[in-house]
Structures are given as C-alpha cells and as structure tokens.
Amino acid sequence: MKKIVINGGKRISGKITISGAKNSVVALIPATILANDVVTLEGVPDISDVESLIEIMEIMGAKVERHREEGRLVIDTRSVVSRPLPYGKINSLRASYYFNGALLGRFGQATVGLPGGCDLGPRPTDLHDKAFKALGARKLQQEEAEHLEVIGDHLVGTTIYMDMVSVGATINTMLAASRAKGLTVIENAAREPEIIDVATLLNNMGAQVRGAGTDTIRILGTDTMHGAQHTVIPDRIEAGTYLALAAAMGDGVVIENIIYEHLESFIAKLEEMGVRMTIREDSIEVHKSENLKAVNITTVPYPGFATDLQQPITPLLLQTKGRGWIVDTIYEKRVNHVPELARMGADISVLEDRIIYEAPNELTGNQVKATDLRAGAALVTAGVIAQGKTEITNIEFILRGYDHIIEKLTAVGVDIQLVDL
Ligand code: UD1
C-alpha cells in the first residue's frame, strides 16, 4: 500500500503529454473479443484498469502481448471461450459490463459478475438490460446473485430508445448489435468521443456502425469480424485535469496531445474564469493567470460540461474570487471530494446536492483520502496548490485512471512522491 506525498505551493512549468483515453480503452479491450482474430491497440495508457482487463481477458483464453513502453497491446481473441468470470476482478471496475455486450455478440451468452467502479451514488444498469432484451437476450439473475447471466443465441436487430443518455448502455448495445441479425437503431444515444472511438474500432474489425457521435446510431449486424489496428484517442478527462492544475499553478504549461473539440465546454468555462490560453492544433499552452472569477458549473451529457471534470476543476474554483456552485445532473451524489477539500481549508460545502464555494481560499496541506478516481485527482491538484505537505491515501483509485501521474507532475516541477504506507 502506498500514499502520495506532495509538498505544495510551488509554481509549475513545462510540458505534459496526455495519454490514451481510459474510458475508450476499457471498452476497446472487451470489444476485441468480437474480432475472433488479432487486434493491435496503440496509445494504451499504463493504468491499473488496463491491467485488470488484461487479466480478465487472459482468464477467458485471450493471448495478450503488452508492450508497455510503446503503449501497445496485441490481443489475440481466437481462443477466447465464454466462461463465468470471477467476481473479484470484475467488480473492481465499472467497465467490466462491456464483457456482457462483447460475449453476447460473439457467443450468444455471457456470465459476468456485477460491475463495480467508483462510488458516485446509484449507478443502475437497467438500460443495458433493456437493450439486450430488445435484441432478444434474456437475463438470468438469482436474487442476491454475484453475477449476471445473459443468453441470446439469436440476437435480432431492432430500434432501441434509451430513456437516459448513457455512455455504457450505448457502447454495450453497439457491441452486441454488431453481430446481431439485421439493423439495430439506437435512439437518444450518448455522443461522447469515446463512443466514436469504439465505433471506429468496430468498423475497422468489419462491423457497420453509422452515426456514432450523433444521437442516432445505426448498426447493421454481420456474421464475421476480423483483426484490425487502432490508436486510442487522447484522454480528455486527463487533459482537463492538467489544464485546471496549470490554470491554478502554471507559469507557462503546455498540455500536448489534445483534441480541442473534445474539450470545448471545459475550455469555455476556463475562459469565463479568465484563464489565459493559446490554443494550437494539438496542444494548449496555459499562461500564468491571475484575478480569476468564480463561475457556476452544471454537468450534462457530452458535449456539455463533463461530470468527470467537475471534481478535478474544484480546486481551481477555490483560487478564483467570488461565490459559485456546482450541480452535477449526472451523478447528484458525486460530492465526496468536498469534505476532504474542506479539511485543507476550503470554504466549500454541499447543500441539497449542490456544491457551494466561496473563494479565494488559502489551502493548507493535510492528510486526506481519495474516495474515488476523480475525487483523488482533485486532491492531487489541491495538494499542488496548498502550502505545506499533503498526504493522500487510497491512491489506488487515482492509479486506475491517471497514467504515470507522479512522473508527469515531477517533470513540470511538482514535489510529489509515492511513499510506502
Ligand atoms: C461513463 C464513464 C464515467 C462517466 C459517465 C458519465 C466509463 C467507463 N465510465 O460511466 O467515467 O462519469 O459515463 O459521463 O466510460 N443510468 C441509468 N441506467 C443505466 C445506465 C445509466 O439510469 O442503465 C444513468 C446513470 O445513473 C447516470 C447516467 O445514466 O445518471 C449516465 O450514466 P452512464 O453514461 O451510463 O455512465 P457510465 O457509462 O457508467
């Protein structure tokens, strides 16, 4: 067990290069099962969620070659068999639900432990179930069972209206429908860049997915798919996390490997606060920014302000001047970072699911606990801003999603270390 120790309060400068997107790669790896062939993924981030998915794939019989330094995974899924998957690994991450869609598509059957992931309040999977059922699968689940079994030997395409905009349910439906008979239409689909990334891989593997990135996706099922090569898109959430940090503490920080369009709503918010930036083709330079204004944030589905970025931007909000609030309409209970930031001296609280802050705040280092992935990122940012020493425990949450965070921050001048507990 380790903790992160930061001696904060020092300005930072230099370059940070963004890695491949966690929320893409966690779907791309299960998606390779559909190929029944060899798929090469490039730009794979070195994060523990990838580690867990590789272990699960190997248990199923996949042969996985990992070239960690190059960020390359070569996955051969020809010898994969659909067998009940162990609970421990499966419930360590949310994205394990993608095995349901991929196994159902290829084998007509999946037995997968119930998904886990960060505690952001209730995270139901009814839309996934509804979509599988519409395609002709049925779900076997004993009361209090630790796994979910879906059976559907003859999936048939149909029109599925998603009652809520869901990233996971949209991707899972695309996976299963790729091998269904006939046309599936997903209405009210999520439009996140990660959905386009998964559709691109599926198409490169021989599927026919059209309209990804809009709210109507059409998938014409096919009997066979094949190997492909694919490069994962840059992680817009990692980019947003470091942009916010650079805005708070930067003396000239360049964030590289960014797709600006994926971050438009986030960058608009930084501009509203008065953050000075130079936007280039695939990088953003954040200049030293002072006299920032407090802003309000409402999280909504893409292309609106991402729920995954509301926690990482919070320490920056505390460096502005004025009062503001955050409302997370996707996960109302995503507020676990608030009491930890308060322990560091922030004037921040939660009132009826609304986060309220009054800035500027002098943050001071303290012992704090990462309660989930993005709350952990918020604490790292707060630790870099705060005067004195911040010690963060429960850092396994942070390592699930931030590739080489210690090295990347050290390179821009942060005094940060991983220390044995
Ligand atoms: C994904 C991301 C997560 C991000 C979230 C919202 C991955 C691995 N995780 O999670 O980082 O915070 O999108 O952008 O990509 N819902 C239902 N029923 C369902 C499914 C979802 O009611 O069957 C609700 C959820 O409770 C939530 C909303 O729909 O309020 C959106 O959730 P969804 O987009 O599905 O999130 P995930 O795919 O789990």
Side-chain angles (χ1 to χ4, degrees):
M1 297 281 267
K2 295 198 185 281
K3 63 182 173 184
I4 288 178
V5 179
I6 304 170
N7 284 301
K10 302 176 189 75
R11 309 288 306 183
I12 60 171
S13 60
K15 278 184 197 165
I16 298 178
T17 303
I18 299 306
S19 302
K22 164 190 169 283
N23 284 352
S24 263
V25 82
V26 298
L28 296 172
I29 294 173
T32 63
I33 292 172
L34 290 163
N36 190 12
D37 199 354
V38 181
V39 176
T40 302
L41 297 178
E42 309 275 359
V44 174
D46 192 357
I47 53 176
S48 64
D49 269 12
V50 165
E51 210 93 43
S52 305
L53 289 169
I54 292 174
E55 277 182 46
I56 297 168
M57 293 288 286
E58 286 176 338
I59 290 168
M60 284 190 288
K63 294 193 179 66
V64 184
E65 257 178 55
R66 184 167 193 195
H67 305 269
R68 203 185 274 263
E69 292 292 305
E70 293 86 354
R72 183 181 307 123
L73 275 185
V74 183
I75 308 176
D76 182 347
T77 58
R78 282 173 293 190
S79 41
V80 164
V81 286
S82 185
R83 61 163 64 109
L85 292 174
Y87 195 50
K89 277 287 160 208
I90 288 289
N91 85 332
S92 74
L93 74 169
R94 182 79 189 152
S96 51
Y97 52 32
Y98 293 134
F99 285 113
N100 281 319
L103 292 170
L104 194 55
R106 176 158 160 201
F107 299 104
Q109 194 272 343
T111 306
V112 181
L114 300 174
C118 287
D119 175 13
L120 314 177
R123 299 183 78 178
T125 53
D126 56 305
L127 297 171
H128 303 240
D129 300 344
K130 184 181 150 186
F132 292 149
K133 195 168 165 205
L135 290 170
R138 59 205 163 85
K139 177 176 150 186
L140 308 176
Q141 189 182 0
Q142 314 281 327
E143 222 168 297
E144 293 178 32
E146 287 195 338
H147 65 261
L148 173 69
E149 186 172 0
V150 222
I151 299 187
D153 314 357
H154 305 290
L155 298 183
V156 180
T158 183
T159 296
I160 298 163
Y161 180 85
M162 296 287 174
D163 297 334
M164 284 183 78
V165 176
S166 161
V167 175
T170 301
I171 292 180
N172 237 339
T173 309
M174 291 195 314
L175 297 177
S178 290
R179 297 284 287 265
K181 197 170 163 51
L183 182 70
T184 299
V185 181
I186 309 175
E187 293 179 344
N188 200 27
R191 293 181 283 165
E192 269 71 0
E194 293 74 19
I195 288 166
I196 304 178
D197 207 26
V198 175
T200 306
L201 173 68
L202 290 173
N203 287 339
N204 289 342
M205 297 189 322
Q208 293 188 52
V209 182
R210 305 288 177 260
T214 76
D215 61 7
T216 306
I217 301 178
R218 291 184 169 75
I219 307 126
L220 187 60
T222 174
D223 280 344
T224 51
M225 289 170 74
H226 49 73
Q229 183 168 20
H230 179 82
T231 303
V232 185
I233 57 168
D235 194 315
R236 63 197 167 96
I237 310 301
E238 187 196 16
T241 302
Y242 293 137
L243 283 170
L245 174 62
M249 292 303 282
D251 243 340
V253 177
V254 180
I255 314 288
E256 295 190 320
N257 194 29
I258 279 190
I259 297 179
Y260 165 75
E261 288 73 15
H262 294 174
L263 280 152
E264 267 187 285
S265 56
F266 185 78
I267 288 167
K269 215 26 105 174
L270 294 183
E271 283 170 342
E272 190 185 330
M273 293 164 73
V275 176
R276 295 189 311 116
M277 288 168 281
T278 303
I279 294 164
R280 304 206 174 87
E281 202 172 315
D282 67 350
S283 70
I284 297 179
E285 182 169 359
V286 184
H287 306 289
K288 186 170 182 179
S289 303
E290 285 164 318
N291 303 319
L292 299 180
K293 280 193 318 232
V295 294
N296 301 325
I297 290 174
T298 303
T299 74
V300 284
Y302 188 85
F305 195 100
T307 168
D308 284 351
L309 281 171
Q310 76 69 6
Q311 291 164 302
I313 203 176
T314 306
L316 172 63
L317 298 178
L318 302 173
Q319 305 308 300
T320 60
K321 190 157 188 284
R323 283 175 186 198
W325 47 257
I326 302 172
V327 173
D328 195 325
T329 70
I330 314 287
Y331 296 113
E332 291 122 44
K333 304 289 178 206
R334 196 169 202 174
V335 294
N336 288 339
H337 55 312
V338 170
E340 298 304 299
L341 290 173
R343 285 160 50 73
M344 296 176 74
D347 185 351
I348 189 166
S349 56
V350 180
L351 192 66
E352 290 169 0
D353 295 339
R354 180 180 290 242
I355 299 172
I356 302 166
Y357 67 93
E358 182 150 7
N361 296 168
E362 280 278 330
L363 298 182
T364 315
N366 203 340
Q367 295 185 343
V368 288
K369 193 157 114 185
T371 48
D372 56 80
L373 169 59
R374 306 301 169 188
L379 296 179
V380 170
T381 303
V384 178
I385 297 170
Q387 292 296 331
K389 185 156 123 182
T390 296
E391 296 187 7
I392 309 171
T393 52
N394 272 22
I395 62 155
E396 55 280 9
F397 283 114
I398 301 171
L399 303 181
R400 278 191 48 209
Y402 287 89
D403 180 3
H404 285 98
I405 186 166
I406 306 292
E407 292 82 353
K408 288 187 187 189
L409 291 181
T410 302
V412 291
V414 177
D415 180 349
I416 180 169
Q417 280 167 326
L418 213 50
V419 174
D420 283 324
L421 269 180

